Amino acid sequence: MKRIAFFSVAAALALGSIGLYYGAPSLLKEPLLHLNRSLSGMEEKTTTAALHTIHYLDSGAPSQPAPTNPGTTPLVLLHGIFAEKDHWVDFARPLTGQYRVIAPDFPGFGESTRLEDQPYDYAAHTQRLGALLDALGIEKAHLAGNSMGGTIAALFALQHPERVASVAFIGAPHGIRSPKPSPMDRLIDAGQRPLVAHDAAAFSAMMDLVFEKRPFLPYPILHASEQAALSHAPSNARLWDAQLKDRYLLEQQLGGLQQHPVLALWGDSDRVFDRSGLQPLQKLLPRAHLETLPGIGHLPMMEAPADTAQRYARFLDGMAPASTQASQRVQ
């Protein structure tokens, strides 16, 4: 009888947990995020800069600073449009022991504030990155970004070269015209906003566009992401249009980045920005270290976080002054 009672209680608990997981996912979102952040040694913090309240993740001082980073220059990870700080957590996990890693929700995204009377184009984002670094007391950083974040990193390095130790594109940056149009290019040319989701079907299509192989996302996290995308759709359209007016801005300026060590990790199955974009990037930055990632889409830090982090770590470990870096030809 006791055994029957035990199994009955266990079954009731399991069913209750499943019901909570799918029936009230909002209750589990924050505990799941907190657990994953803790596994990477990261803690959520907030600061105020450039009129915004900015939420960010910070791993703090590393326990074993990298020998090639004697000044403990932090890594600042910048997400793409309609993305958020937690997209970097798994990628950061192998790095936080040797580097201080910071991943902000850029103003206008994630949990950071979005103000209706403020612009969210690249000029404003670049200025806000400087204000954020000032607020955190960071004089110099390694900047790594995905998509929009990579473009902000490059533009900030061009404007403030003394404050940037290196620039890494973790996934294709926005703003380079690929010789071969991507599926997203064709949607944009047809007058669509493919990353602005107005309903569940559009959200699913967006996920198929940005990922070649979707990473596992717990249902409460996926559900929260979908609900945020749908509720913010009208405002997201405004931010999308602000980005689109600078559609090829990076290509126009990227050649000025010669003095910085640059890494580009580009998914060869990227449907957002076709991998042929590596060709103009290589011409503009012949000393940059360029790698294609087999079977990976637009968000390598989520699709293959460990492998992508290892590639980034090797770049940091072997980083030499830009003038002595060897050019690597794209295969």
Side-chain angles (χ1 to χ4, degrees):
M1 186 65 68
K2 289 182 179 180
R3 178 175 296 180
I4 294 174
F6 171 80
F7 283 118
S8 296
V9 171
L13 289 173
L15 290 172
S17 298
I18 293 172
L20 186 65
Y21 187 83
Y22 290 104
S26 60
L27 297 178
L28 295 178
K29 174 192 170 185
E30 289 303 322
L32 288 170
L33 290 176
H34 178 75
L35 174 61
N36 201 41
R37 294 165 184 169
S38 298
L39 292 173
S40 294
M42 304 192 80
E43 179 183 353
E44 183 181 16
K45 299 182 179 182
T46 61
T47 189
T48 301
L51 304 178
H52 290 74
T53 298
I54 301 175
H55 292 245
Y56 65 100
L57 303 178
D58 192 340
S59 68
S63 57
Q64 296 179 317
T68 54
N69 192 37
T72 60
T73 303
L75 314 181
V76 178
L77 310 178
L78 305 175
H79 62 71
I81 193 169
F82 310 136
E84 58 184 273
K85 60 186 179 301
D86 281 281
H87 292 176
W88 291 105
V89 173
D90 293 343
F91 171 90
R93 191 163 297 146
L95 302 171
T96 53
Q98 292 191 301
Y99 295 92
R100 180 187 179 190
V101 181
I102 298 166
D105 273 337
F106 227 75
F109 301 98
E111 295 181 284
S112 295
T113 50
R114 179 184 300 188
L115 306 175
E116 290 303 317
D117 63 345
Q118 291 296 304
Y120 292 94
D121 57 7
Y122 278 117
H125 285 319
T126 305
Q127 184 273 331
R128 289 180 187 127
L129 176 56
L132 174 60
L133 295 180
D134 290 342
L136 299 182
I138 296 173
E139 295 182 2
K140 191 171 187 177
H142 295 279
L143 298 181
N146 171 261
S147 199
M148 175 192 81
T151 305
I152 296 170
L155 295 175
F156 185 81
L158 289 166
Q159 293 183 19
H160 305 281
E162 75 287 352
R163 301 194 66 177
V164 179
S166 69
V167 173
F169 302 127
I170 309 298
H174 176 237
I176 295 176
R177 189 191 300 269
S178 295
K180 178 183 177 182
S182 69
M184 191 176 84
D185 284 327
R186 291 192 288 271
L187 291 171
I188 292 173
D189 292 339
Q192 299 184 40
R193 298 184 179 104
L195 299 186
V196 178
H198 292 274
D199 54 37
F203 181 81
S204 181
M206 178 186 70
M207 295 287 281
D208 289 339
L209 188 66
V210 299
F211 290 117
E212 170 65 15
K213 47 186 180 183
R214 291 197 192 188
F216 169 73
L217 294 174
Y219 177 73
I221 304 299
L222 183 62
H223 178 266
S225 297
E226 179 177 331
Q227 293 305 301
L230 302 188
S231 65
H232 292 149
S235 181
N236 284 348
R238 178 172 76 92
L239 271 63
W240 171 271
D241 291 343
Q243 299 272 304
L244 194 63
K245 74 181 178 66
D246 292 324
R247 189 173 179 183
Y248 300 117
L249 175 64
L250 184 60
E251 186 168 347
Q252 298 166 17
Q253 301 190 32
L254 195 58
L257 207 59
Q258 301 286 350
Q259 62 182 295
H260 287 90
V262 176
L263 170 70
L265 302 176
W266 199 307
D268 73 354
S269 298
D270 193 333
R271 287 184 283 271
V272 174
F273 302 128
D274 187 79
R275 62 157 284 173
S276 62
L278 277 170
Q279 297 170 23
L281 194 156
Q282 184 179 34
K283 291 179 180 178
L284 291 165
L285 293 175
R287 296 182 184 277
H289 184 91
L290 313 179
E291 297 182 31
T292 55
L293 306 178
I296 299 298
H298 189 56
L299 302 172
M301 72 285 194
M302 296 182 70
E303 292 188 43
D307 177 68
T308 309
Q310 289 171 4
R311 292 171 188 262
Y312 183 40
R314 286 197 295 269
F315 165 74
L316 294 172
D317 289 345
M319 199 175 69
S323 60
T324 61
Q325 286 190 359
S327 174
Q328 178 171 323
R329 182 170 299 278
V330 181
Q331 300 300 321

